[in-house]
Amino acid sequence: MSRPWTSDLGDGTYRNPVLNADWSDPDVIRVGDDFYLTASSFGRSPGLPLLHSRDLVNWTAVGHALDRLGPADDFAAPRHDRGVWAPSLRHHGGRFWIFWGDPDHGIQQINADRIEGPWSSPHLLKAGKGLIDACPLWDEETGEAYLVHAWAKSRSGVKNRLTGHRMSPDGRCLLDDGATLVDADRIPGWFTLEGPKLYRRDDYFWIFAPAGGVETGWQGAFRSRDFLGPYEERVVLAQGRTDVNGPHQGGWVHTSEGEDWFLHFQARGAYGRVVHLQPMRWDAEGWPVIGDEGEPVPRHTKPVTPAQPVAAPAVDDDFPGGRPGTQWQWTANPRPGWTTRHGADGLRLACVRTAYEHDLRLLPNILVQRLPAEEFTVAVDLALDSGEPGAKAGLAVVGDAFNWIGLAVAADGTPRLVHRFAEGVAAHERDAAGSRASPAGRAGLRVEVTAGARCRFFADTGDGFRPSGQVFAATPWRWVGALLGLFATAPAGTGPAGTARFTAFRVTGPNPPQKCTTRHDPSHPHHQTEKSRR
């Protein structure tokens, strides 16, 4: 298995980003010698991805904590700017906990004995509009529990402030009506304060929270002797002289060797929000100093941990047993019948009948994964088994605009290679290149992605790969980077419309191929889940 991106340079140092894909709004914890990370998943299903590492540099996928999003009716269709926003991951009382804010419904919580689950059903802790970025704190010395959250102005009319509550130790209810802990309208120059993470250190309550906007902001730190404040503030990480724009929103973690590190994102357009790892120390006044004196580092010595094999979240897939790997999500809650014939290798998607087959952005039945690097090539083999005119399947790059190449059944029932696209303002796809016959309904599909997320599509229908259409510049959705997608559809109607079989999904990149090692320690169960199937 090849890797398009590796952060570990093999000489005791790493380069940023350590996760060069859209792991938006990351939060991280340590449990023993293990580190765990979760991230926003918005309207995709399953939600709340879970990653594991033993050195904060090499990460593998564990799975997802949220099987389906609710309410079910809200997520039956794509909702790319809704759902799971900025989760917080914690370990308390022998259990893992995740809190998040759904901007349209409120603050929710799930928990589990083991990171692999099973996770509890979501519990609505605080109902309301615009409640986002929730983070709990259990004070191990006093036994008290707290919660802090931010606000989305689009739903509540409120922003730029952080609200705090006392919480029951079981995480099931809030014990007061809440109080404003930080009102950034009162801090000169601060705006869009959000994403708080709550900690306790040296008799202080600490809130790490970003401000200034996703593309252009900075990371702030706030401290107070009392949970209700008043809080002092300081900017602890900003772009400065670097090319890392808007470095903020993430989590602080303290290692078993006594080191402090901070993981945060950088917004990179179509690539989404990639994750950087910064060294962190405390100055003489007790304030955190992140990166190189408050500026992001491009390269640094790795954390002090036992040597670990080079690893990255999986991107390739042979779909063993006919099931997609943990890197894949649907663009909405899945329905029975979207995948068929489990047991054989290769992914077999039903050509789902829909009135929206002309616009991939409206389809819930697209299987997607993140763009895995700045430059890479993705390839997959497709066989379309359908005689239904208009049935189609393909490989797509989907965002506010989309582009796909694949097979479609012509009016005479024969399969043809097609290449189609839609601009961000277009409501209907159109041809990106002329079609051609596809003997036996098979094709090799390929997309080459270069800097700036510029995509060139290729296809092989039996006479070698040939380029198709113009170069397409991928675009993000709101809050979400562009996605690689596999899909199969058919025009509205009744009865089965055939299937599409995808095999040998491969991603390669400009870096030398790395051996894929999924078992750092054969006795440790987390490293045996990279190829597990939902």
Side-chain angles (χ1 to χ4, degrees), residues 49-182:
L50 299 168
L51 302 183
H52 171 260
S53 176
R54 284 192 166 175
D55 62 4
L56 293 171
V57 172
N58 294 287
W59 293 89
T60 55
V62 175
H64 293 85
L66 189 63
D67 290 337
R68 299 178 66 84
L69 286 77
D73 289 349
D74 284 19
F75 297 99
R79 298 288 185 265
H80 304 296
D81 61 347
R82 301 184 187 181
V84 178
W85 284 24
S88 293
L89 175 62
R90 293 293 181 264
H91 189 261
H92 166 73
R95 300 186 67 80
F96 291 91
W97 303 77
I98 300 178
F99 288 66
W100 75 94
D102 178 320
D104 299 298
H105 301 102
I107 295 169
Q108 305 198 54
Q109 169 261 106
I110 57 175
N111 58 87
D113 287 328
R114 302 168 66 247
I115 195 72
E116 301 91 345
W119 288 80
S120 64
S121 298
H123 171 71
L124 186 61
L125 183 64
K126 181 180 180 180
K129 297 279 190 179
L131 309 178
I132 60 170
D133 306 351
C135 182
L137 170 70
W138 285 270
D139 190 326
E140 303 298 342
E141 293 185 5
T142 66
E144 295 184 313
Y146 306 89
L147 182 93
V148 64
H149 70 82
W151 295 85
K153 187 174 182 178
S154 59
R155 273 74 164 184
S156 66
V158 176
K159 64 177 291 188
N160 209 31
R161 74 178 61 163
L162 305 179
T163 295
H165 292 268
R166 294 187 181 275
M167 182 178 71
S168 62
D170 63 2
R172 300 286 297 179
C173 62
L174 301 177
L175 304 180
D176 56 35
D177 294 331
T180 298
L181 304 184
V182 179

Side-chain angles (χ1 to χ4, degrees), residues 9 11-16 57 259 261 277-280 291-292 297-303:
L9 297 177
D11 59 0
T13 68
Y14 70 91
R15 60 180 171 183
N16 274 316
V57 172
E259 295 182 325
W261 296 85
L277 175 66
Q278 304 295 338
M280 180 173 141
D292 180 8
V297 299
R299 177 173 174 170
H300 199 270
T301 303
K302 290 175 59 180

Side-chain angles (χ1 to χ4, degrees), residues 351-354 357-358 384 386-393 404 407-414 418 420 429 487-492 497:
C351 294
V352 177
R353 291 189 179 276
T354 174
E357 52 86 24
H358 60 281
L384 181 60
S386 174
E388 178 77 14
K392 61 187 181 184
W404 69 272
L407 299 175
V409 180
D412 62 1
T414 62
V418 297
R420 294 172 181 164
E429 69 183 19
F487 73 95
T489 66

Side-chain angles (χ1 to χ4, degrees), residues 7 10 58 61-62 115 128 165 204 287 308 335 347 369 429 521:
S7 176
N58 294 287
V62 175
I115 195 72
H165 292 268
Y204 282 102
W287 286 92
Q308 303 296 322
R335 301 171 199 168
L347 177 70
Q369 66 165 290
E429 69 183 19
D521 176 354

Side-chain angles (χ1 to χ4, degrees), residues 261-274:
W261 296 85
F262 185 74
L263 279 158
H264 67 90
F265 76 69
Q266 175 197 9
R268 297 197 59 220
Y271 297 106
R273 302 175 186 182
V274 302

